[in-house]
Structure formats: structure tokens, C-alpha cells
Amino acid sequence: MNAAVTDLNLATLPPLGDRLLEQLNGLREHDPLHWSEASRCWIVTGHAEVLEGLSGQLPLSSHHIPASLHRVVPPEEFARRMPSTLRYMSQIVTNLDGADHDRIRRLLVKAFSRKIVEDTRPYVRARVAMLLDRAAAERELEFNEGIARQQTGAVILRLLGLSESYLGRLKGWTDAVTLALTSFNPDPAWLEALERVVCDMVEVFRGEIEACRAAPRADLTTALVTAADHGDTLSIDEVLAAMILAVVAGHDTTLNSMSLGLRALSRQPAAWAEWRTHPERSQEHAIELMRYVAMSTALPRIVAEDFEWRGRRLHQHELVMLVMAGGNRDPRVFTDPERLDFARANDAALTFGPGLHHCIGHMLAKMQMSEFFAALTQRFERVELLEEPQFVPNLVFRGVRSLRVRFHPRTA
């Protein structure tokens, strides 16, 4: 039974951990398309409503960067204080609408092809095996940085043709971007850190772009530089924006899914055994696990013009939070949604944002999740949580600050 919830203050929710999901469930049953006085925005938690919001058929704009930051930095100061953030974040495909979005997306899909992902699978498997060797040897470790980032970070660096020596900088890069851009009320100091990090990434990535233009390579950076659609290509700034997106969204979200997924499986031995018994269904299991742990929590949109939606009047410039975590637990669509059920069909899952902005990197995320957990459940009897983790203040992508665990190898 979901507790009665009539409003939510989104700024206070991330520290609630899994109680966040209970709150979202309660609000969905009360009002799935809700104007929040506490948060001063629309909170959309019903599956049908979230799907409509993601479809691209409503006047909801993705061009919320830097608009969503103007609460912290006034518009007249933004260009002066954060020029690189404005220059590159405004060209990231997830922040674009209309023809600009469609053009960039066509080129990115050509570059980030299924072939590039599948060509990476042998490296993913080898990397997983190496990291599980480490887990077996050390037995106790912090999973986020000891395993998950070592896996997902190394893979995205390899895809981009970047040296593994950059692994140590990935956490700083992604922490700065996600804190500033995915928190409901970012601290002004986080925005200053974001500007520094964007400048750092651009300096590194420019060198890689020049290198692959001089000597093309079989990697994603070269694919971005050479992608063409009827003579149209990406500008250097557009390539840089795509690389920033790939580094942050291309590894940190999967890291969070791995950590939350491990936490969930550690508590459900039957699900662990099911994955071990049926490794051929690993991708289906990974999709259900990602629905269940709700790493993909919400996506913000800005109302582009006044309009009516399901009997409600939305006004230009209002903020709309499309809460996939609420829609993914809607009992109108998912039977017994609070249960991790590997027999479930997940065609209706909202995890990767179906619709206009469907996640371009979904194939890579599913592949890494399926390869990691298939190998993990074959090799280990179970994983034990050594402490309950704290959640990061991120309302767009859920994650934990750290996850200390103990690995128990199979004895037979």
C-alpha cells in the first residue's frame, strides 16, 4: 500500500534513498500530473503521462540549459561567468529541440553505431574478468570506484580513443557536471566547478580530435568527426559537446546502475540464482534490473508555450519533471511493480527515455550490465553489503556515494 502523498519538495528527496520511490508511488496514485507548490513545478509520475511528455508531441522544451540554472546565475551574468558551459552545453543533443536536435541526433546515431558497440564487447568481457579477479583476491572493497568506474570509465575512454590514464580524472569531471546540472537546487560553487571542468575536458578532447583527423582511428571520436548525412557534418564544437556527453552520460549512469543493481541483487538470492541459471537471458535481466533500481529517475522540461494537458493548464516557462521512476512502477502498466521479476516483459519500460530523445547509448549500457552481472553471478555465490550507502543529491540519475561490499566466491 502506498502512503498518501499530496505534494513533494524535490530538493529534499534524493537523501531519502529508496523512500524516494515510495513517495513517488504515493504521489502518482494521488495525482499523476501534479502541480507542486512545494517545488514550484509540475511533477509527472504516471506512465502514460510521462510517455506523452517524452514523445515530442507536446510543447515541452529540452532547451533547459542554461535556463534551469538562471535561478542561481542571472541570465545577464551567465555568459560572463560561465562562457564554456554556455558554449558547449547548449549544443549537447539532449538540450536541443526541433530541427537542431534532429540534425545532431542523425549524425550521432551514425557515429555511435551498433558495430562500434559490438566491437567493444571483447574488451568489456576481458575487463570484467580482470576486475572480478581483483574482487576475488581482495574480497572486501568499495564497489563504485574499485569496480564500477574501473569498468565503465575504461570502456568509454577506449571508445573515444583516450588513454586509460584519464581514469583518475573521470570522477572529478562527472561529479562536477552532474552536481551542477542534475540537482534540483544547485549550489553556486558547483557551477564554478562545472565551468572549470568543461574547460579541462575541452582542452583534452581538442587534442584527440586533431589526432584522429590527422590519422583516423577505429574509435568513436573518429566516427564523430567523419559522420556525414547528405554532406552535413558535425562542427568541432558539436563534436566536443558530443564527447562531453559521452564521457559523463556514457559511463557514470551505467556505474550507478551497476552499484544500485548489485545492492538489489545482494538482497535477493533467488534473483541472483536466476541470473546464474539463465545467462542467455542476461540482457532481459539487465533491463528489468534497471527498471527496478530506478537509476533513471527524472528528466526536466520547460513549457515552451501555454497549453492544456489532461485537463490542466500549463504556462510558458514552467518547469516539468518527467519522472520515469514513477512511471516504471505504475501498476496500470506493470504487474506487481515493486517486485524484481526477471520473467517480466519490459517493452513499456521508460528507463532509456523512449520517444524523441531516446538514449543513444542504450546499447552500450545494456551490453555492459548484461556482461558484468552474468559473469558476477557465475563466479560468486553472493555479495554482502557492509553498510547502507548514502545517496547523492541527484534527482535526474539516482546513485550512491559509495558501496562497501564483501564478495563470496562460489565453492562448487
Side-chain angles (χ1 to χ4, degrees), residues 104-118:
I104 297 292
R105 184 178 178 86
R106 279 195 301 270
L107 291 164
L108 294 186
V109 168
K110 285 178 177 290
F112 203 175
S113 64
R114 180 177 296 275
K115 181 179 187 306
I116 276 190
V117 172
E118 285 302 317

Side-chain angles (χ1 to χ4, degrees), residues 88-89 91-94 108 111-112 116-117 149 151-162 170 173-174 177-178 201 205 219-224 234 237-255 359-362 364-365 368 397:
Y88 298 106
M89 292 299 171
Q91 298 188 69
I92 286 178
V93 67
T94 52
L108 294 186
F112 203 175
I116 276 190
V117 172
R149 197 178 309 277
Q151 175 65 35
T152 62
V155 169
I156 204 66
L157 289 174
R158 183 179 178 88
L159 270 171
L160 290 169
L162 288 162
L170 285 185
W173 285 349
T174 55
V177 174
T178 56
M201 286 192 283
F205 299 160
D219 60 26
L220 181 57
T221 301
T222 299
L224 290 168
L234 296 168
D237 278 5
E238 289 165 347
V239 173
L240 288 166
M243 293 176 75
I244 291 170
L245 178 63
V247 162
V248 177
H251 97 276
D252 204 58
T253 53
T254 308
L255 178 157
C359 176
I360 293 172
H362 70 97
L364 180 64
Q368 290 205 77
F397 302 121

Side-chain angles (χ1 to χ4, degrees), residues 205-242:
F205 299 160
R206 277 192 186 279
E208 292 303 316
I209 291 170
E210 291 305 315
C212 76
R213 291 177 81 179
R217 311 176 305 215
D219 60 26
L220 181 57
T221 301
T222 299
L224 290 168
V225 170
T226 59
D229 180 55
H230 295 93
D232 184 27
T233 60
L234 296 168
S235 70
I236 295 299
D237 278 5
E238 289 165 347
V239 173
L240 288 166

Side-chain angles (χ1 to χ4, degrees), residues 231-284:
D232 184 27
T233 60
L234 296 168
S235 70
I236 295 299
D237 278 5
E238 289 165 347
V239 173
L240 288 166
M243 293 176 75
I244 291 170
L245 178 63
V247 162
V248 177
H251 97 276
D252 204 58
T253 53
T254 308
L255 178 157
N256 290 335
S257 292
M258 287 173 63
S259 296
L260 294 174
L262 186 73
R263 177 172 173 261
L265 286 177
S266 73
R267 297 167 163 175
Q268 304 201 39
W272 186 287
E274 174 71 11
W275 207 319
R276 174 190 295 157
T277 304
H278 295 287
E280 75 282 358
R281 288 183 48 80
S282 192
Q283 178 157 303
E284 290 88 346

